[in-house]
Amino acid sequence: MPRFSIVVPSHGVAGRLSQALDSVLAQSFGDFELIPVCDAPDAPAADVVAGYAERDSRVTPVHSPPSAGLPGARNTGLKAAVGGHVLFLDGDDILVPGALAALDARLSAVGDVDVLYFEHERTPWWEGEPTNPAAPLLARTPKGAFSPDRAPQLTGVALPAWSAVYRRAFLTERDLAFPGDHFTDVGFGGLVALRAERVAALRAVVVRHLLRRQGNRLGLPGEHHAELLDQTELVLTRAAEQDLPADRLKPLFEQLFAAVLKTAAHPRRLTSERRAFFRRASALYRRHRPAGYRAPGGSVGVQHRLLASGSYAAFRTLRAAHRTASRAAALLPRPRGLRTRLRYAAALRLPLDRNLVVYCAYWGRGYACNPAAIHAKARLLAPQLRSVFLVEPEAVGSVPPGVEHAVIGSRKYWQVLARAKYLVNNANFADAVVKRPGSVHLQTQHGTPLKTMGADQATYPVVAAATGSFAKLLARVDRWDYNLTSNRHSTEMWERAFPSAHETLEYGYPRNDVYCTASADDVARVRKALGVPDGKKALLYAPTHRDYATGFETGLDLAEFCEAIGDDYVVLLRAHYFYDQGPGRGGGRIIDVTGHRSSEDVCLAADALITDYSSIMFDYANLDRPIVAYADDWDVYRETRGVYFDLMELPPGRVARTPEELAAVFRDGSYADETATSLRAAFRERFCQFDDGRAAERVVRRVLLGEPPESIPPVIPLAERVPAPAATLVRS
């Protein structure tokens, strides 16, 4: 029997789950079992957990349906546990180094206790000093094991479940489990403290609680706040049944109603039924108030007295007196120009146009990428919707005939942004755009992240300086309702990089649909349009942007490269879109396709891809054609920009570090040999999960037509897809 069973619920924390599991497996004390609780075998967290289970026999995952919530996940983990003591760790928290050794030593010193409470550190997700809220409660506890009567302030309701380790036999013999759906820590902690006979404390930090940027789910508005009263009533009823002594009942009563009053006084939590919440809380207060209880002083005491009297009108007046105007100020539109501000503000007062969809790609560069693919599919599946594409003045010519557009900054631009129910973008809308109630913002992204993105860029000075205000960036992220991903890796990384409350859609990238739907005739048409000579093999060279470099430099002498590999090849040069306004760089066997509107067309035309660290490799892999990574400055790039995984350990094909190595793999054909094919297959397995040719359809049906998730077409397995044929290469 292991010393500890560590239960880790994982719903909604796939991006941080590895940190939690790593913190456990890295402990110097190794006598434990680790029980991750996943929603389902195909859930995002399950992929993460599966890798750990393969590498370490102490990892024994179990499953609990999402409908069971956090209490169900913890109870499922508890039933599976076989260790002597149980520790509950949230999937986005970590055990500090040496935590299990410290717990083992303390348990050995105090003997057989039911509960060992310990300190935890609440770490701000961005800036600020960590806090240790358990320290004051534990500071006055006896040195050894003690009866709960000797520390009445340890009521259990003010400490989370992961701030203690529990003797498993104690929990099972007394049939203690996590109650309800929400605020379960309040009920569980209170019931445990009421039933425990012998407890102890460890005055040291064991768990580091990583605060979410979007805050605790329990702080969000909704009807679930009524369950706080359910948990309060449950604990106080049990306390009355066992005739809890007055010196223990008073702190229990105060700590429970401190939480109740905090909710009652918070207008954003109780969006409706505020009066009903107050009245029920008032009845509970009067029913369970300890004999001779005296309310605290100050404004808190006033709230106690109003709750005891049931004076909701007076309580509401007191609450309103403490409000500020910050919320109203945050909603004021801030476009430039007084006339524009007034027009936009006036349009915001008009009803939403529920049939209006606004699209934008690459900050208005034109009709492109995922927004364009969604727009095209919406014209077929939802013709009743009016669609407007936002473009910069110089990109108006790229808009196809029949596609309505608005020039960014124009009067029409602000009008449609103010009225549209649906806003679709692969980057972000301007800071001045207001997220109206009822509107739906879809973030489609425009690549799979190899390099760090969003909040993860903050620790890389060169990138952070170019990014600007992270507060403004995250304010834009807060407008998202949906975020699109093309693989499970992206799901996890976007959760870290863009922490917010949006829903993730694992539907694939609509722009990549064409890689499964294009025909040989489509490939031939694109090659002809780009000027690829008949019979020539086209190599797409697509380097990415360097944050530490100024201007565009290929890092490769393409003329010399063409000379070295022979006359059978031409090179399609596609610089990063930051440089698509630069002078032409073509000539001879080099065809500059940087300014071509569609990167998908360029990929279809290419028989093989050469890139460094560009996300185009993830999209191109859907074609199952050869890819060569030209990594001449990988070490510099990795240290300067930061990356999410080591591309050299998981490349999409052959890797070249010098121009000579790059030329050699094409001269000898190794760029497409069995080794290259095997590397590409592993790469595709990880990064081509959801791009099956039906991503746009799934997005339109789910977001624009509002169909339920269960009716959305499932993803076609990778082995069953047939990519578009290459012009000159035969696929294995």
Side-chain angles (χ1 to χ4, degrees):
M1 179 176 68
R3 176 67 149 162
F4 298 107
S5 293
I6 304 169
V7 178
V8 186
S10 61
H11 176 67
V13 294
R16 284 180 162 184
L17 181 58
S18 292
Q19 299 178 61
L21 302 182
D22 287 342
S23 74
V24 176
L25 295 174
Q27 293 290 312
S28 57
F29 184 90
D31 186 15
F32 62 83
E33 62 171 349
L34 177 56
I35 309 176
V37 187
C38 305
D39 292 347
D42 60 346
D47 283 353
V48 177
V49 169
Y52 284 89
E54 290 177 2
R55 297 190 297 270
D56 197 314
S57 61
R58 294 174 296 178
V59 181
T60 57
V62 295
H63 301 285
S64 176
S67 58
L70 177 62
R74 286 175 173 170
N75 290 334
T76 298
L78 177 58
K79 290 178 182 178
V82 297
H85 291 79
V86 181
L87 174 66
F88 298 97
L89 182 70
D90 281 358
D92 51 0
D93 296 341
I94 61 175
L95 284 182
V96 301
L100 294 184
L103 290 175
D104 175 67
R106 184 60 174 160
L107 287 170
S108 298
V110 298
D112 196 22
V113 295
D114 295 327
V115 187
L116 174 64
Y117 294 102
F118 50 74
E119 297 176 6
H120 65 272
E121 189 175 80
R122 296 172 62 87
T123 305
W125 84 275
W126 190 253
E127 294 179 341
E129 293 296 323
T131 60
N132 186 342
L137 290 173
L138 302 183
R140 292 174 284 130
T141 56
K143 291 183 179 181
F146 55 89
S147 165
D149 292 337
R150 296 181 59 195
Q153 76 277 11
L154 285 182
T155 67
V157 302
L159 293 174
W162 36 261
S163 195
V165 62
Y166 311 88
R167 186 166 60 87
R168 185 171 63 86
F170 160 69
L171 296 179
T172 56
E173 290 168 2
R174 288 161 178 77
D175 198 24
L176 290 167
F178 289 87
D181 294 322
H182 298 89
F183 300 95
T184 186
D185 282 14
V186 173
F188 180 78
L191 295 177
V192 164
L194 289 174
R195 299 301 301 276
E197 297 177 357
R198 196 165 182 267
V199 300
L202 171 62
R203 298 189 192 100
V205 171
V206 170
V207 172
R208 184 167 293 121
H209 176 55
L210 306 177
L211 296 173
R212 291 166 169 257
R213 173 178 174 266
Q214 55 269 43
N216 191 308
R217 294 187 183 95
L218 299 181
L220 298 176
E223 298 178 355
H224 62 277
H225 288 282
E227 295 186 41
L228 174 59
L229 300 181
D230 295 340
Q231 302 287 1
T232 298
E233 184 172 17
L234 171 65
V235 173
L236 289 175
T237 299
R238 294 287 177 84
E241 291 172 352
Q242 69 181 59
D243 196 20
L244 194 70
D247 60 343
R248 289 186 62 189
L249 181 59
K250 178 182 176 182
L252 176 64
F253 179 84
E254 285 191 337
Q255 290 178 23
L256 285 168
F257 277 96
V260 170
L261 284 169
K262 184 177 180 180
T263 297
H266 203 304
R268 295 185 62 185
R269 293 184 181 178
L270 295 170
T271 54
S272 62
E273 302 297 330
R274 295 173 185 166
R275 186 185 297 272
F277 181 94
F278 184 87
R279 286 178 173 173
R280 184 183 170 198
S282 178
L284 285 173
Y285 188 96
R286 292 192 297 270
R287 185 186 316 147
H288 293 283
R289 179 172 47 187
Y293 176 74
R294 296 183 61 181
S299 61
V300 175
V302 174
Q303 294 183 47
H304 272 257
R305 287 188 286 274
L306 292 176
L307 188 63
S309 65
S311 303
Y312 177 71
F315 185 85
R316 184 178 57 185
T317 301
L318 177 67
R319 182 184 65 195
H322 289 87
R323 294 181 189 172
T324 66
S326 59
R327 182 180 179 187
L331 295 177
L332 290 176
R334 299 294 182 188
R336 295 179 180 178
L338 177 60
R339 183 177 298 179
T340 302
R341 287 201 299 271
L342 293 175
R343 286 174 177 168
Y344 184 50
L348 288 171
R349 290 195 291 269
L350 299 174
L352 284 174
D353 185 339
R354 301 194 175 276
N355 287 319
L356 177 58
V357 190
V358 171
Y359 298 88
C360 190
Y362 298 115
W363 304 276
R365 286 182 56 243
Y367 186 83
C369 195
N370 292 318
I374 296 170
H375 171 270
K377 185 62 68 174
R379 297 177 81 175
L380 297 176
L381 299 180
Q384 74 277 12
L385 298 178
R386 175 194 173 198
S387 299
V388 180
F389 229 94
L390 307 180
V391 292
E392 290 286 358
E394 60 271 16
V396 170
S398 72
V399 180
V403 176
E404 184 179 356
H405 70 275
V407 175
I408 291 178
S410 67
R411 182 175 182 177
K412 180 180 179 180
Y413 166 84
W414 289 109
Q415 286 178 335
V416 296
L417 282 175
R419 299 289 310 280
K421 176 177 175 62
Y422 306 99
L423 293 98
V424 181
N425 207 326
N426 74 348
N428 262 311
F429 290 98
D431 291 342
V433 173
V434 173
K435 176 67 165 72
R436 296 186 62 179
S439 66
V440 177
H441 286 235
L442 168 64
Q443 168 58 252
T444 73
Q445 302 295 346
H446 54 271
T448 290
L450 167 62
K451 56 181 177 284
T452 55
M453 302 292 291
D456 288 338
Q457 298 174 349
T459 56
Y460 296 90
V462 173
V463 188
T467 301
S469 169
F470 283 94
K472 289 184 178 180
L473 167 67
L474 294 170
R476 296 190 289 269
V477 171
D478 283 341
R479 297 185 301 214
W480 303 354
D481 293 290
Y482 298 102
N483 185 34
L484 200 58
T485 76
S486 59
N487 47 62
R488 192 57 55 77
H489 163 79
S490 295
T491 299
E492 297 172 21
M493 296 309 104
W494 293 147
E495 181 184 316
R496 287 176 43 182
F498 303 117
S500 191
H502 51 262
E503 178 182 342
T504 297
L505 300 179
E506 292 184 320
Y507 287 175
Y509 281 164
R511 71 180 185 190
N512 291 343
D513 285 353
V514 68
Y515 298 142
C516 291
T517 61
S519 65
D521 290 340
D522 295 323
V523 173
R525 172 185 52 78
V526 172
R527 286 169 66 90
K528 182 177 180 180
L530 294 177
V532 178
D534 291 340
K536 295 291 185 181
K537 297 176 182 177
L539 306 179
L540 172 59
Y541 177 51
T544 193
H545 168 63
R546 300 295 197 278
D547 297 278
Y548 50 86
T550 302
F552 174 74
E553 296 180 3
T554 65
L556 178 68
D557 189 319
L558 291 179
E560 290 185 3
F561 173 69
C562 288
E563 186 68 25
I565 62 176
D567 294 337
D568 291 340
Y569 300 94
V570 296
V571 174
L572 304 177
L573 169 62
R574 188 168 182 84
H576 191 274
Y577 58 80
F578 284 179
Y579 311 112
D580 66 352
Q581 301 301 317
R585 292 169 286 267
R589 290 163 54 197
I590 304 169
I591 304 172
D592 189 350
V593 295
T594 302
H596 189 77
R597 177 181 63 83
S598 170
S599 63
E600 295 76 56
D601 280 357
V602 174
C603 288
L604 285 173
D607 298 293
L609 170 68
I610 304 170
T611 187
D612 41 26
Y613 326 117
S614 171
S615 65
I616 198 172
M617 73 177 79
F618 302 99
D619 304 313
Y620 191 84
N622 286 286
L623 289 168
D624 197 14
R625 302 177 190 175
I627 303 173
V628 177
Y630 179 54
D632 60 328
D633 62 346
W634 169 249
D635 294 333
V636 175
Y637 186 87
R638 179 178 56 184
E639 293 299 321
T640 306
R641 177 62 200 241
V643 294
Y644 288 121
F645 67 92
D646 190 342
L647 183 65
M648 300 301 100
E649 294 185 0
L650 189 67
R654 292 287 187 177
V655 175
R657 304 297 291 259
T658 67
E660 292 75 20
E661 291 179 2
L662 182 63
V665 299
F666 286 96
R667 281 199 308 269
D668 62 20
S670 59
Y671 76 101
D673 65 7
E674 290 185 6
T675 298
T677 301
S678 177
L679 291 170
R680 185 170 72 251
F683 191 84
R684 280 166 48 80
E685 189 72 26
R686 180 175 181 183
F687 296 112
C688 298
Q689 288 171 288
F690 310 137
D691 289 332
D692 64 349
R694 301 190 69 180
E697 178 186 352
R698 283 190 282 268
V699 171
V700 171
R701 292 191 183 281
R702 177 77 171 92
V703 178
L704 302 185
L705 296 178
E707 295 183 9
E710 57 270 18
S711 70
I712 304 303
V715 174
I716 300 171
L718 183 63
E720 299 177 15
R721 302 174 205 165
V722 181
T728 65
L729 298 177
V730 177
R731 184 180 299 106
S732 60

PDB file of all heavy atoms in Angstrom, residues 258-275:
ATOM      1  N   ALA A 258     -19.466  34.712   6.430  1.00  0.00           N
ATOM      2  CA  ALA A 258     -18.570  35.655   5.751  1.00  0.00           C
ATOM      3  C   ALA A 258     -18.617  35.410   4.251  1.00  0.00           C
ATOM      4  O   ALA A 258     -18.656  36.359   3.444  1.00  0.00           O
ATOM      5  CB  ALA A 258     -17.143  35.493   6.275  1.00  0.00           C
ATOM      6  N   ALA A 259     -18.627  34.124   3.843  1.00  0.00           N
ATOM      7  CA  ALA A 259     -18.736  33.790   2.424  1.00  0.00           C
ATOM      8  C   ALA A 259     -20.111  34.143   1.874  1.00  0.00           C
ATOM      9  O   ALA A 259     -20.243  34.656   0.758  1.00  0.00           O
ATOM     10  CB  ALA A 259     -18.445  32.305   2.215  1.00  0.00           C
ATOM     11  N   VAL A 260     -21.154  33.901   2.647  1.00  0.00           N
ATOM     12  CA  VAL A 260     -22.515  34.205   2.203  1.00  0.00           C
ATOM     13  C   VAL A 260     -22.697  35.702   1.993  1.00  0.00           C
ATOM     14  O   VAL A 260     -23.243  36.150   0.977  1.00  0.00           O
ATOM     15  CB  VAL A 260     -23.535  33.667   3.224  1.00  0.00           C
ATOM     16  CG1 VAL A 260     -24.934  34.191   2.905  1.00  0.00           C
ATOM     17  CG2 VAL A 260     -23.521  32.145   3.233  1.00  0.00           C
ATOM     18  N   LEU A 261     -22.227  36.511   2.939  1.00  0.00           N
ATOM     19  CA  LEU A 261     -22.369  37.960   2.815  1.00  0.00           C
ATOM     20  C   LEU A 261     -21.542  38.514   1.660  1.00  0.00           C
ATOM     21  O   LEU A 261     -21.938  39.465   0.991  1.00  0.00           O
ATOM     22  CB  LEU A 261     -21.970  38.637   4.133  1.00  0.00           C
ATOM     23  CG  LEU A 261     -22.999  38.526   5.257  1.00  0.00           C
ATOM     24  CD1 LEU A 261     -22.391  38.976   6.581  1.00  0.00           C
ATOM     25  CD2 LEU A 261     -24.234  39.359   4.927  1.00  0.00           C
ATOM     26  N   LYS A 262     -20.375  37.930   1.433  1.00  0.00           N
ATOM     27  CA  LYS A 262     -19.545  38.371   0.314  1.00  0.00           C
ATOM     28  C   LYS A 262     -20.279  38.169  -1.006  1.00  0.00           C
ATOM     29  O   LYS A 262     -20.229  39.019  -1.904  1.00  0.00           O
ATOM     30  CB  LYS A 262     -18.229  37.602   0.310  1.00  0.00           C
ATOM     31  CG  LYS A 262     -17.256  38.054  -0.764  1.00  0.00           C
ATOM     32  CD  LYS A 262     -15.948  37.290  -0.659  1.00  0.00           C
ATOM     33  CE  LYS A 262     -14.965  37.759  -1.739  1.00  0.00           C
ATOM     34  NZ  LYS A 262     -13.670  37.018  -1.636  1.00  0.00           N
ATOM     35  N   THR A 263     -20.982  37.058  -1.128  1.00  0.00           N
ATOM     36  CA  THR A 263     -21.761  36.805  -2.341  1.00  0.00           C
ATOM     37  C   THR A 263     -22.978  37.709  -2.420  1.00  0.00           C
ATOM     38  O   THR A 263     -23.288  38.270  -3.475  1.00  0.00           O
ATOM     39  CB  THR A 263     -22.194  35.327  -2.386  1.00  0.00           C
ATOM     40  OG1 THR A 263     -21.027  34.504  -2.454  1.00  0.00           O
ATOM     41  CG2 THR A 263     -23.077  35.049  -3.587  1.00  0.00           C
ATOM     42  N   ALA A 264     -23.681  37.859  -1.312  1.00  0.00           N
ATOM     43  CA  ALA A 264     -24.880  38.695  -1.306  1.00  0.00           C
ATOM     44  C   ALA A 264     -24.564  40.141  -1.653  1.00  0.00           C
ATOM     45  O   ALA A 264     -25.386  40.851  -2.250  1.00  0.00           O
ATOM     46  CB  ALA A 264     -25.554  38.624   0.063  1.00  0.00           C
ATOM     47  N   ALA A 265     -23.364  40.599  -1.297  1.00  0.00           N
ATOM     48  CA  ALA A 265     -22.988  41.989  -1.538  1.00  0.00           C
ATOM     49  C   ALA A 265     -22.322  42.189  -2.891  1.00  0.00           C
ATOM     50  O   ALA A 265     -21.917  43.296  -3.215  1.00  0.00           O
ATOM     51  CB  ALA A 265     -22.044  42.469  -0.431  1.00  0.00           C
ATOM     52  N   HIS A 266     -22.190  41.115  -3.668  1.00  0.00           N
ATOM     53  CA  HIS A 266     -21.485  41.190  -4.945  1.00  0.00           C
ATOM     54  C   HIS A 266     -22.509  41.198  -6.078  1.00  0.00           C
ATOM     55  O   HIS A 266     -23.027  40.149  -6.466  1.00  0.00           O
ATOM     56  CB  HIS A 266     -20.550  39.989  -5.089  1.00  0.00           C
ATOM     57  CG  HIS A 266     -19.419  40.226  -6.039  1.00  0.00           C
ATOM     58  ND1 HIS A 266     -19.627  40.605  -7.343  1.00  0.00           N
ATOM     59  CD2 HIS A 266     -18.082  40.141  -5.885  1.00  0.00           C
ATOM     60  CE1 HIS A 266     -18.470  40.728  -7.959  1.00  0.00           C
ATOM     61  NE2 HIS A 266     -17.505  40.457  -7.088  1.00  0.00           N
ATOM     62  N   PRO A 267     -22.816  42.360  -6.645  1.00  0.00           N
ATOM     63  CA  PRO A 267     -23.894  42.433  -7.639  1.00  0.00           C
ATOM     64  C   PRO A 267     -23.622  41.644  -8.905  1.00  0.00           C
ATOM     65  O   PRO A 267     -24.551  41.227  -9.592  1.00  0.00           O
ATOM     66  CB  PRO A 267     -23.991  43.937  -7.934  1.00  0.00           C
ATOM     67  CG  PRO A 267     -22.661  44.494  -7.559  1.00  0.00           C
ATOM     68  CD  PRO A 267     -22.189  43.672  -6.406  1.00  0.00           C
ATOM     69  N   ARG A 268     -22.357  41.397  -9.245  1.00  0.00           N
ATOM     70  CA  ARG A 268     -22.061  40.711 -10.499  1.00  0.00           C
ATOM     71  C   ARG A 268     -22.196  39.195 -10.378  1.00  0.00           C
ATOM     72  O   ARG A 268     -22.293  38.498 -11.373  1.00  0.00           O
ATOM     73  CB  ARG A 268     -20.649  41.059 -10.972  1.00  0.00           C
ATOM     74  CG  ARG A 268     -20.475  42.523 -11.333  1.00  0.00           C
ATOM     75  CD  ARG A 268     -19.102  42.795 -11.897  1.00  0.00           C
ATOM     76  NE  ARG A 268     -18.872  42.047 -13.125  1.00  0.00           N
ATOM     77  CZ  ARG A 268     -17.710  42.038 -13.780  1.00  0.00           C
ATOM     78  NH1 ARG A 268     -16.688  42.720 -13.302  1.00  0.00           N
ATOM     79  NH2 ARG A 268     -17.572  41.346 -14.889  1.00  0.00           N
ATOM     80  N   ARG A 269     -22.174  38.681  -9.165  1.00  0.00           N
ATOM     81  CA  ARG A 269     -22.315  37.231  -8.997  1.00  0.00           C
ATOM     82  C   ARG A 269     -23.776  36.809  -9.086  1.00  0.00           C
ATOM     83  O   ARG A 269     -24.117  35.839  -9.744  1.00  0.00           O
ATOM     84  CB  ARG A 269     -21.722  36.792  -7.661  1.00  0.00           C
ATOM     85  CG  ARG A 269     -20.213  36.957  -7.595  1.00  0.00           C
ATOM     86  CD  ARG A 269     -19.659  36.413  -6.289  1.00  0.00           C
ATOM     87  NE  ARG A 269     -18.214  36.600  -6.212  1.00  0.00           N
ATOM     88  CZ  ARG A 269     -17.467  36.257  -5.190  1.00  0.00           C
ATOM     89  NH1 ARG A 269     -18.016  35.685  -4.127  1.00  0.00           N
ATOM     90  NH2 ARG A 269     -16.159  36.467  -5.199  1.00  0.00           N
ATOM     91  N   LEU A 270     -24.628  37.526  -8.393  1.00  0.00           N
ATOM     92  CA  LEU A 270     -26.049  37.198  -8.394  1.00  0.00           C
ATOM     93  C   LEU A 270     -26.746  38.035  -9.457  1.00  0.00           C
ATOM     94  O   LEU A 270     -27.192  39.150  -9.209  1.00  0.00           O
ATOM     95  CB  LEU A 270     -26.651  37.464  -7.019  1.00  0.00           C
ATOM     96  CG  LEU A 270     -26.120  36.595  -5.878  1.00  0.00           C
ATOM     97  CD1 LEU A 270     -26.621  37.112  -4.538  1.00  0.00           C
ATOM     98  CD2 LEU A 270     -26.549  35.154  -6.080  1.00  0.00           C
ATOM     99  N   THR A 271     -26.831  37.500 -10.655  1.00  0.00           N
ATOM    100  CA  THR A 271     -27.434  38.252 -11.753  1.00  0.00           C
ATOM    101  C   THR A 271     -28.952  38.284 -11.647  1.00  0.00           C
ATOM    102  O   THR A 271     -29.606  39.131 -12.246  1.00  0.00           O
ATOM    103  CB  THR A 271     -27.035  37.626 -13.094  1.00  0.00           C
ATOM    104  OG1 THR A 271     -27.381  36.235 -13.085  1.00  0.00           O
ATOM    105  CG2 THR A 271     -25.529  37.751 -13.321  1.00  0.00           C
ATOM    106  N   SER A 272     -29.526  37.347 -10.922  1.00  0.00           N
ATOM    107  CA  SER A 272     -30.969  37.306 -10.706  1.00  0.00           C
ATOM    108  C   SER A 272     -31.236  36.651  -9.357  1.00  0.00           C
ATOM    109  O   SER A 272     -30.340  36.098  -8.725  1.00  0.00           O
ATOM    110  CB  SER A 272     -31.661  36.527 -11.836  1.00  0.00           C
ATOM    111  OG  SER A 272     -31.216  35.189 -11.856  1.00  0.00           O
ATOM    112  N   GLU A 273     -32.472  36.730  -8.914  1.00  0.00           N
ATOM    113  CA  GLU A 273     -32.882  36.102  -7.651  1.00  0.00           C
ATOM    114  C   GLU A 273     -32.058  36.590  -6.463  1.00  0.00           C
ATOM    115  O   GLU A 273     -31.815  35.843  -5.518  1.00  0.00           O
ATOM    116  CB  GLU A 273     -32.794  34.572  -7.759  1.00  0.00           C
ATOM    117  CG  GLU A 273     -33.629  33.973  -8.870  1.00  0.00           C
ATOM    118  CD  GLU A 273     -35.119  34.218  -8.689  1.00  0.00           C
ATOM    119  OE1 GLU A 273     -35.564  34.311  -7.524  1.00  0.00           O
ATOM    120  OE2 GLU A 273     -35.832  34.341  -9.685  1.00  0.00           O
ATOM    121  N   ARG A 274     -31.619  37.852  -6.511  1.00  0.00           N
ATOM    122  CA  ARG A 274     -30.835  38.378  -5.389  1.00  0.00           C
ATOM    123  C   ARG A 274     -31.669  38.438  -4.119  1.00  0.00           C
ATOM    124  O   ARG A 274     -31.192  38.115  -3.029  1.00  0.00           O
ATOM    125  CB  ARG A 274     -30.308  39.768  -5.734  1.00  0.00           C
ATOM    126  CG  ARG A 274     -29.311  39.776  -6.887  1.00  0.00           C
ATOM    127  CD  ARG A 274     -28.963  41.195  -7.285  1.00  0.00           C
ATOM    128  NE  ARG A 274     -28.100  41.214  -8.466  1.00  0.00           N
ATOM    129  CZ  ARG A 274     -27.850  42.296  -9.199  1.00  0.00           C
ATOM    130  NH1 ARG A 274     -28.394  43.444  -8.855  1.00  0.00           N
ATOM    131  NH2 ARG A 274     -27.066  42.215 -10.255  1.00  0.00           N
ATOM    132  N   ARG A 275     -32.922  38.857  -4.287  1.00  0.00           N
ATOM    133  CA  ARG A 275     -33.796  38.954  -3.113  1.00  0.00           C
ATOM    134  C   ARG A 275     -34.043  37.575  -2.508  1.00  0.00           C
ATOM    135  O   ARG A 275     -34.023  37.409  -1.281  1.00  0.00           O
ATOM    136  CB  ARG A 275     -35.121  39.603  -3.508  1.00  0.00           C
ATOM    137  CG  ARG A 275     -36.052  39.888  -2.315  1.00  0.00           C
ATOM    138  CD  ARG A 275     -37.385  40.422  -2.803  1.00  0.00           C
ATOM    139  NE  ARG A 275     -37.213  41.686  -3.496  1.00  0.00           N
ATOM    140  CZ  ARG A 275     -37.227  42.874  -2.884  1.00  0.00           C
ATOM    141  NH1 ARG A 275     -37.371  42.937  -1.567  1.00  0.00           N
ATOM    142  NH2 ARG A 275     -37.094  43.974  -3.578  1.00  0.00           N
TER     143      ARG A 275
END
